[in-house]
Amino acid sequence: MRPFELMEHTADIGVRAFGSSEKEVFQNAAAGMFSLIVDPGLVRDVEGFSVKAEAEDHEGLLVAWLNELLYLQDSRDLLLKRFEIGRLGETTLEAMVFGEPVDPGRHKLMSDIKAATYHMLKLEHSSGGWTAEVIFDV
Amino acid sequence: MSDVRKQGARQIAHLREISPWCWEIPQTGEMRVPGRVFSDSEFVTRAGQENALEQVANVACLPGIEMASMAMPDIHWGYGFAIGGVAAFRLKDGIISPGGVGYDIACGVRLIRSNLVASEMEKAVPGLVHELSRSVPAGVGRHGDVRLGHRELDSLMTKGVPWLISQGYGWPDDIEAIEDGGVLDGANPELISPRARERGFAQSGTLGAGNHFLEVQRVEQIFDEAAAWAFGIFSGQLCIMVHSGSRGLGHQVCTEYVKTMGSAAARAGINLPDRQLACAPINSPEGRDYYAAMACAVNFARGNRQVMTHLVRQSCEHIFKSSAEKLGLDLVYDVSHNVAKFEEHETPGGRKILCIHRKGATRSFPAGHAGIPEKYRAVGQPVIVPGDMGTASYLLKGTSTAMAQSFGSTCHGAGRVMGRRAAKRAIQGHELKARLEAQGITISAGRTSTLAEEAPEAYKDIDKVVEVCHQAGLSKKVARLRPMGVVKG
């Protein structure tokens, strides 16, 4: 199964992520989001950071998780490439994420993602597994 | 698809032209007012195809909306609210919505004039573009050289541009050439979370990426001599335009309030056609807090453009070997095109203070309005509309028609027609750069693929968008400016 694919809209861009579990679809959505920012092949996972997110429901939690990662990236000047969700509850999640500080010499940054939005947000479970769709404000 | 959204889709089939340049989405279903799109038939058809009209209809379902849910001709699909949207809400029963302002709070444009005749300066433009790209931090996540402490950031967020000028970043005359005199009142920095601060500290005075730019332009055509004269603009003049926003600080404020207002809307019994339309009553703790936090981000965004103006002046002094004062580098005006503001407007029920949301729309106040600088009061507010880097930008003036029909609003830019990835597939960044350079436009871009995303082909024809506003009377053309040099993130 592909981890994610990109979806396009006129002004912005989204990610459709897949996973055999809900944790995996959250992780793949994060990987998809960071693939819009930088080629993941250029990023090393040299540092780990713990991340917590909370929201009122699972869809909201997906948005909160992605926005938490954007905050981490922007405030610490990081690029992230590996995402491991330890605990995914009804309204909270805890994860470790790995990456490295931006190195302008090595990392060619592609997009400035402002936020993950709730617009046309989807998180679905079927016999084929989990699918999530998130649109970003770029 | 929710019921409300289905209703929205049906209403679009009934779209009708109610006057030249104005189309109405009739009020049906959950809509509290009709939708109204200022457009020609081409733009309105395109908006329908990409569901932006449905978004206009969805906004019409929100409580306390006055007159109509509106869209300007540069309308395109957004999240929740369409881009190019204008919506006014009553204080007593209306809402305020962070999604109706957008993530890039107070994203906007300012125009700096000069005394210089562009044709005499052509040889200096490449050097100026290089100097600007060196001195103004641009690009994804790039940090600024102006680092603020907590107390300084608080001062900027509450006291706005006048405070920055007291710190040496600009001239006293700049203050009146910014909407609200450079400071939106009601800002409360206690409502700015540590996270928003962290995202803001490093980015003050930076341009950012995406569609933001710094351009050296030549005034190519004057449409209204008297207004141009009042704005200090002459044919063939060299000007500099800055397009930027509130960077990570604004993004974080919007992110946090969209989240908290989802539950606030539910508590207030508001049925949201789209979760991204999250909102709260204006007179609720969440509504008041959002406004006070948004005002911080507005002041921060204008502060960024002010710091960049300071850097532009320094760069020009260096290149043209003269003082910024002698070069006449005055600020013509600074407009914010993503903002919610309390303004007094005429309504069928008399004059009222309304909360005007402009998401990708520019204020367009007429001659005589107390809200515009005294020096422009005989003419109208300068409206600055940035175009794409290969075509043109415009300087317009505000009108009384806009005041009567669109809550004093007009368009904000060309509006995209092509997705970013589609643009990258269709256009090679280096070919685009070569093509623009062959047209005599110097380009400095952090990355050529980012350049392709912003290619002229990815946007609507700015001349047509501005013409529709001109014909509809929402703003009148004053001058067309052509890029000579572009700095992109």
Side-chain angles (χ1 to χ4, degrees), chain B residues 114-315:
Chain B
S114 79
N115 293 336
L116 301 171
V117 174
S119 58
E120 299 295 315
M121 300 296 150
E122 265 167 16
K123 286 196 180 125
V125 170
L128 177 58
V129 168
H130 178 260
E131 182 62 21
L132 290 169
S133 66
R134 200 189 59 75
S135 68
V136 179
V140 179
R142 194 106 176 243
H143 288 178
D145 300 328
V146 181
R147 292 296 186 106
L148 301 174
H150 274 287
R151 281 176 57 190
E152 290 168 314
L153 183 62
D154 283 0
S155 296
L156 174 58
M157 291 192 295
T158 49
K159 299 176 194 160
V161 172
W163 176 79
L164 266 179
I165 287 170
S166 74
Q167 303 297 302
Y169 293 99
W171 303 343
D173 284 352
D174 297 342
I175 292 172
E176 76 156 345
I178 303 171
E179 275 185 56
D180 315 302
V183 55
L184 189 59
D185 291 334
N188 180 356
E190 287 172 17
L191 296 167
I192 297 297
S193 69
R195 289 165 176 253
R197 282 171 189 278
E198 282 179 64
R199 280 180 85 169
F201 274 136
Q203 295 182 339
S204 56
T206 64
L207 187 65
N211 62 356
H212 293 157
F213 67 70
L214 220 155
E215 276 187 11
V216 182
Q217 303 174 335
R218 178 179 64 238
V219 177
E220 191 183 46
Q221 195 178 355
I222 301 276
F223 304 94
D224 181 335
E225 287 286 349
W229 187 84
F231 296 162
I233 296 297
F234 59 86
S235 183
Q237 183 180 25
L238 184 139
C239 290
I240 292 172
M241 190 175 276
V242 183
H243 180 202
S244 76
S246 50
R247 312 285 282 113
L249 185 136
H251 310 164
Q252 190 68 21
V253 167
C254 184
T255 296
E256 291 171 9
Y257 279 90
V258 169
K259 189 177 175 193
T260 57
M261 281 198 182
S263 41
R267 273 200 305 284
I270 301 166
N271 174 26
L272 295 178
D274 177 330
R275 200 164 173 176
Q276 193 66 30
L277 294 176
C279 58
I282 295 167
N283 275 318
S284 66
E286 293 88 352
R288 285 190 292 269
D289 284 359
Y290 169 66
Y291 184 82
M294 181 208 71
C296 289
V298 169
N299 292 332
F300 182 75
R302 290 166 173 169
N304 285 341
R305 291 195 284 276
Q306 184 65 29
V307 170
M308 283 185 271
T309 301
H310 176 72
L311 298 172
V312 163
R313 285 173 177 154
Q314 284 183 336
S315 297

Side-chain angles (χ1 to χ4, degrees), chain B residues 220-444:
Chain B
E220 191 183 46
Q221 195 178 355
I222 301 276
F223 304 94
D224 181 335
E225 287 286 349
W229 187 84
F231 296 162
I233 296 297
F234 59 86
S235 183
Q237 183 180 25
L238 184 139
C239 290
I240 292 172
M241 190 175 276
V242 183
H243 180 202
S244 76
S246 50
R247 312 285 282 113
L249 185 136
H251 310 164
Q252 190 68 21
V253 167
C254 184
T255 296
E256 291 171 9
Y257 279 90
V258 169
K259 189 177 175 193
T260 57
M261 281 198 182
S263 41
R267 273 200 305 284
I270 301 166
N271 174 26
L272 295 178
D274 177 330
R275 200 164 173 176
Q276 193 66 30
L277 294 176
C279 58
I282 295 167
N283 275 318
S284 66
E286 293 88 352
R288 285 190 292 269
D289 284 359
Y290 169 66
Y291 184 82
M294 181 208 71
C296 289
V298 169
N299 292 332
F300 182 75
R302 290 166 173 169
N304 285 341
R305 291 195 284 276
Q306 184 65 29
V307 170
M308 283 185 271
T309 301
H310 176 72
L311 298 172
V312 163
R313 285 173 177 154
Q314 284 183 336
S315 297
C316 288
E317 285 180 336
H318 182 70
I319 294 295
F320 298 118
K321 308 275 183 267
S322 180
S323 73
E325 288 85 355
K326 280 190 185 154
L327 293 166
L329 299 173
D330 300 310
L331 180 55
V332 176
Y333 207 57
D334 176 297
V335 296
S336 297
H337 49 226
N338 284 2
V339 73
K341 290 210 286 193
F342 294 109
E343 295 171 2
E344 194 173 302
H345 287 273
E346 204 67 60
T347 75
R351 284 192 79 77
K352 275 184 201 159
I353 306 266
L354 297 166
C355 182
I356 313 290
H357 290 61
R358 296 191 181 93
K359 185 186 188 183
T362 313
R363 201 185 70 173
S364 179
F365 279 178
H369 195 288
I372 60 178
E374 216 169 310
K375 60 180 175 180
Y376 302 145
R377 215 164 281 166
V379 177
Q381 178 207 307
V383 171
I384 305 160
V385 180
D388 63 76
M389 59 190 152
T391 316
S393 293
Y394 277 86
L395 179 63
L396 317 171
K397 65 175 187 182
T399 65
S400 49
T401 304
M403 218 54 198
Q405 298 200 358
S406 59
F407 298 109
S409 311
T410 189
C411 68
H412 87 302
R416 289 193 80 92
V417 287
M418 197 189 283
R420 290 169 200 273
R421 292 182 65 79
K424 274 192 193 168
R425 278 193 298 273
I427 302 147
Q428 294 292 319
H430 60 273
E431 282 173 19
L432 171 64
K433 189 165 188 272
R435 173 162 43 108
L436 294 171
E437 283 175 346
Q439 293 170 31
I441 304 169
T442 306
I443 304 285
S444 166

Side-chain angles (χ1 to χ4, degrees), chain A residues 10-124:
Chain A
T10 314
D12 294 288
I13 198 157
V15 164
R16 183 179 295 119
F18 308 97
S20 55
S21 66
E22 196 177 10
K23 274 186 190 173
E24 194 179 321
V25 84
F26 271 55
Q27 288 164 182
N28 289 343
M33 179 174 79
F34 272 89
S35 81
L36 296 170
I37 298 171
V38 67
D39 176 356
L42 300 174
V43 182
R44 295 180 299 207
D45 49 350
V46 294
E47 282 183 71
F49 304 87
S50 75
V51 171
K52 287 181 184 172
E54 62 173 81
E56 291 185 340
D57 55 34
H58 281 231
E59 285 186 342
L61 199 53
L62 176 62
V63 169
W65 149 248
L66 297 173
N67 281 330
E68 201 58 32
L69 298 178
L70 290 177
Y71 151 73
L72 192 64
Q73 176 224 344
D74 237 5
S75 59
R76 304 209 192 169
D77 229 6
L78 288 175
L79 292 168
L80 301 172
K81 74 170 296 178
R82 190 153 63 84
F83 310 89
E84 291 178 6
I85 295 184
R87 204 182 58 76
L88 180 56
E90 282 303 306
T91 58
T92 57
L93 74 72
E94 288 172 24
M96 283 298 292
V97 299
F98 300 87
E100 65 171 327
V102 175
D103 173 353
R106 255 185 322 116
H107 300 131
K108 297 289 176 212
L109 302 189
M110 297 183 286
S111 301
D112 205 357
I113 297 184
K114 294 173 194 156
T117 75
Y118 296 96
H119 189 63
M120 298 172 72
L121 175 65
K122 272 188 198 160
L123 178 62
E124 290 169 349

